[in-house]
Amino acid sequence: MDLNLKSKLAVITGGSVGIGLAVAKGFAAEGARILITARGRDRVEAEVAQIRANYGVETRGVAADVATAEGCNAVIAAAAAMGGADILINNAGTGSNETIAEADDAKWQYYWDLHVMAAVRLGRGLVPQMKAHGGGVILHNASICAVQPLWYEPIYNTTKAALMMFSKTLANEVVGDNIRVNTVNPGLVLTPDWIKTARQIAGEDGWEAHLQGVANEAGGMKRFATPEELANFFVFMSSDKASYSTGSTYFVDGGWLRTV
Ligand code: NDP
């Protein structure tokens, strides 16, 4: 299946590891040009070099914090320097751990800036670049937690739910510009961070059983997705083959969602 992504510029936030890195490789395998961003410069530079070497596509990286206006501006400028974005994957994000009773305003603000304002600012800055190309695609990586909350991360649940609504609203605003906007809600995805945390909790001999316990509790397929399984979905949704889809949310959660 030709996804018609050759030479398109895909901007992927949080593209230096985990789901974002798998998405970047998925686009590179289709011949797209890549701009990845994350805070850690070393990891960004290392993965840019790897993608270039393995896929031979134009690839650049920006070390930037997308939870700030300056960081988002740096990404927008880097995309402009590459000729303008065709695809934006708002993926940078992270889990939280708190109670509503104890979390202070600064923590709420940080997650709002990371999960919502990054999408607002990058959308505002990159939509004009897409318009200049005659259209584009924006995907928001939220979470199943946007609709099915986990008890230990109220700030994550709330800000990811807000991201879903932002995505729907942006879709309405740019539908006439041939820009499609959708949300993907993953379930359990086996990234290095999950493995690191499981090792800390259960040790070298117990981490795999610990993760299996997490998957069993989720139900459905009772396993984690690989980052590549998510990446395939993101790449398809960014392609012309998904041309009638906008303003929607898609769950890629192995059956964990307990409602229709
Ligand atoms: P990882 O922790 O593996 O990677 C996160 C990426 O985002 C890294 O590249 C990180 O790099 C970057 N990042 C984090 N904060 C910032 C910031 N302020 N500015 C710029 N970049 C940042 O995450 P996952 O791959 O697990 O998750 C990716 C997305 O998917 C997240 O939004 C997450 O909420 C969502 N998700 C993940 C699930 C899972 O099971 N893994 C399930 C459901 C949703 P650096 O630290 O160097 O900045």
Side-chain angles (χ1 to χ4, degrees):
M1 191 189 282
D2 182 5
L3 297 180
N4 199 24
L5 290 167
K6 259 186 200 70
S7 301
K8 297 264 170 72
L9 177 59
V11 178
I12 301 125
T13 71
S16 66
V17 69
I19 299 171
L21 177 59
V23 171
K25 290 177 178 171
F27 280 123
E30 294 296 324
R33 297 178 302 123
I34 309 295
L35 176 62
I36 61 171
T37 181
R39 290 164 303 177
R41 185 178 301 278
D42 290 352
R43 212 160 49 174
V44 167
E45 286 177 358
E47 294 303 342
V48 164
Q50 281 289 324
I51 294 170
R52 268 193 207 134
N54 292 338
Y55 300 95
V57 293
E58 184 187 355
T59 307
R60 295 193 204 171
V62 194
D65 182 350
V66 296
T68 67
E70 302 73 43
C72 290
N73 288 340
V75 178
I76 294 160
M82 292 179 79
D86 300 291
I87 297 161
L88 167 63
I89 310 294
N90 275 307
N91 166 77
T94 192
S96 64
N97 193 343
E98 64 277 324
T99 62
I100 294 167
E102 284 167 9
D104 62 14
D105 286 5
K107 188 166 187 185
W108 280 95
Q109 189 64 53
Y110 179 73
Y111 279 84
W112 175 257
D113 288 343
L114 175 59
H115 291 154
V116 184
M117 288 313 296
V120 172
R121 289 166 172 149
L122 291 172
R124 208 162 48 202
L126 295 179
V127 159
Q129 297 181 9
M130 293 179 188
K131 278 189 192 176
H133 290 184
V137 173
I138 300 176
L139 294 178
H140 296 104
N141 189 359
S143 167
I144 189 173
C145 295
V147 303
Q148 183 170 282
L150 283 170
W151 65 269
Y152 57 82
E153 49 185 358
I155 298 181
Y156 183 78
N157 301 329
T158 305
T159 52
K160 289 292 192 173
L163 176 62
M164 244 176 84
M165 179 53 84
F166 170 73
S167 183
K168 177 69 178 167
T169 312
L170 178 63
N172 291 340
E173 189 167 312
V174 298
V175 66
D177 299 310
N178 194 31
I179 299 173
R180 298 187 298 102
V181 186
N182 288 294
T183 300
V184 178
N185 282 346
L188 297 169
V189 187
L190 193 55
T191 55
D193 202 43
W194 267 106
I195 296 173
K196 191 176 98 191
T197 307
R199 278 200 164 106
Q200 285 163 359
I201 294 170
E204 207 45 49
D205 294 334
W207 68 269
E208 282 172 297
H210 171 79
L211 289 179
Q212 189 56 55
V214 172
N216 290 345
E217 205 175 308
M221 291 182 184
K222 296 188 178 172
R223 69 170 178 85
F224 278 68
T226 63
E228 291 71 28
E229 283 179 290
L230 264 294
N232 289 338
F233 194 81
F234 276 90
V235 171
F236 169 76
M237 286 303 299
S238 303
S239 78
D240 293 349
K241 301 294 180 194
S243 52
Y244 197 53
S245 166
T246 195
S248 287
T249 297
Y250 298 88
F251 289 80
V252 184
D253 64 11
W256 184 11
L257 186 67
R258 297 206 170 91
T259 63
V260 289

